[in-house]
Amino acid sequence: MKTKTLILIWLLITAFACNNDENPEINMDGLYVGTFERNDIISKVEINLNNGEFSGQSDRINFPAIYYGNFSIQRNSVNFDNKQLIITTEFDPNLILHGLWNYKFDNHTLTMTNSIGDIYILTKG
């Protein structure tokens, strides 16, 4: 009897531990307004996330260049695939919303950071 109880407890612990490793499906769809920051320069931004597609704009030209495309959520990150076909070279192409961003979604605030230290702090409207 004691062995069966221990096995049952071990199975429950294992099941809950596996479930905690996976992020629940998060619905990030909505209109977000907030800021983008790089090297202490801040701009106001607006990003719309809807059914795996995004679009947006900034109050500064190409800082950042949000444009439009698709996005997908992968554990603790969001991957943006920007579909803007014509991108001129008079600005830093790293300012384009593209690639992998770590995210934290708390209450109605979405915070996204990339590997070079850029940060979006957005509030869902």
Side-chain angles (χ1 to χ4, degrees):
M1 182 70 177
K2 198 176 210 182
T3 304
K4 287 182 181 180
T5 303
L6 289 175
I7 291 173
L8 180 59
I9 291 172
W10 178 79
L11 287 173
L12 287 172
I13 290 172
T14 303
F16 282 113
C18 290
N19 287 339
N20 287 339
D21 287 343
E22 300 174 11
N23 281 349
E25 187 67 29
I26 295 176
N27 182 359
M28 294 175 75
D29 286 2
L31 179 63
Y32 294 83
V33 294
T35 59
F36 169 82
E37 181 176 355
R38 174 186 276 185
N39 299 328
D40 296 326
I41 301 170
I42 299 172
S43 63
K44 295 178 184 176
V45 296
E46 181 178 291
I47 299 176
N48 187 31
L49 304 176
N50 188 17
N51 291 325
E53 297 180 352
F54 76 91
S55 61
Q57 59 189 10
S58 170
D59 70 340
R60 293 176 173 223
I61 296 174
N62 295 327
F63 190 86
I66 298 171
Y67 300 127
Y68 62 93
N70 301 325
F71 75 95
S72 60
I73 302 170
Q74 307 158 346
R75 288 193 171 242
N76 296 326
S77 31
V78 180
N79 191 23
F80 290 95
D81 182 18
N82 210 301
K83 300 296 183 186
Q84 175 68 21
L85 298 177
I86 300 172
I87 299 173
T88 58
T89 58
E90 74 265 3
F91 72 99
D92 182 351
N94 291 317
L95 285 168
I96 299 169
L97 180 56
H98 188 78
L100 207 56
W101 290 74
N102 293 322
Y103 82 89
K104 179 181 172 189
F105 193 71
D106 187 27
N107 236 344
H108 291 284
T109 301
L110 173 62
T111 304
M112 300 188 305
T113 56
N114 66 7
S115 61
I116 60 175
D118 296 339
I119 184 168
Y120 285 91
I121 301 175
L122 308 163
T123 302
K124 188 173 186 176

